[in-house]
Amino acid sequence: MRTAQRRAVALAALLVTALAALALPSVVRAATADDPAPAAPPEPFGADCRTSVRGSHVIAYCHNPYPDTDRVRLHTECARWWDIDADAAPVEVGPAQTVRLTDRCWKEVRAVWVTHEKAGAPPAPERRRGAVPGTS
């Protein structure tokens, strides 16, 4: 008799679990039906830039494969303390365009990088190295 009762309880538990599993997706769908659609991923942006350093000369080639215009700037940090670091003026790279940016130090180059910003955005404020923000 005990075996028959255990089987009946197990069958009842299995039946309740199966019914709950079948009912759950409709409850979840009903609860999430009014939720807004997920946000679209951001559109790709930014020119692909390749930099090279030869002695004290720096060259960067930037190609923009995207439909939005990218504003790029070449930044050069010189190795010697007395050598002046340079932040080039922004150059707009239109869709399917390639631009060449150059710069140089008197002696060795410590670091080179290119920054990007959307062409419709206002340009970033010019900052001299060592300058305190808010003062000119």
Side-chain angles (χ1 to χ4, degrees):
M1 185 84 139
R2 289 191 157 223
T3 306
Q5 287 177 344
R6 286 184 197 163
R7 284 186 185 164
V9 170
L11 183 60
L14 182 64
L15 188 60
V16 169
T17 306
L19 289 174
L22 290 174
L24 185 61
S26 62
V27 171
V28 171
R29 264 187 262 120
T32 59
D34 295 334
D35 292 343
E43 292 185 22
F45 169 76
D48 180 33
C49 297
R50 301 184 193 301
T51 59
S52 65
V53 178
R54 251 198 166 141
S56 63
H57 294 271
V58 175
I59 299 174
Y61 289 96
C62 295
H63 176 73
N64 184 8
Y66 301 114
D68 293 330
T69 301
D70 185 9
R71 188 181 296 142
V72 296
R73 293 180 72 175
L74 178 65
H75 305 275
T76 307
E77 186 175 326
C78 301
R80 306 291 176 123
W81 65 268
W82 46 263
D83 208 345
I84 298 173
D85 298 340
D87 297 320
V91 176
E92 291 193 357
V93 185
Q97 285 185 337
T98 302
V99 296
R100 179 179 185 230
L101 308 167
T102 61
D103 201 1
R104 69 176 297 246
C105 294
W106 283 100
K107 291 282 188 174
E108 302 86 13
V109 175
R110 176 177 292 148
V112 175
W113 66 95
V114 177
T115 56
H116 305 263
E117 60 185 22
K118 290 199 179 231
E126 296 288 330
R127 265 190 71 199
R128 294 178 310 215
R129 294 193 191 279
V132 177
T135 62
S136 295

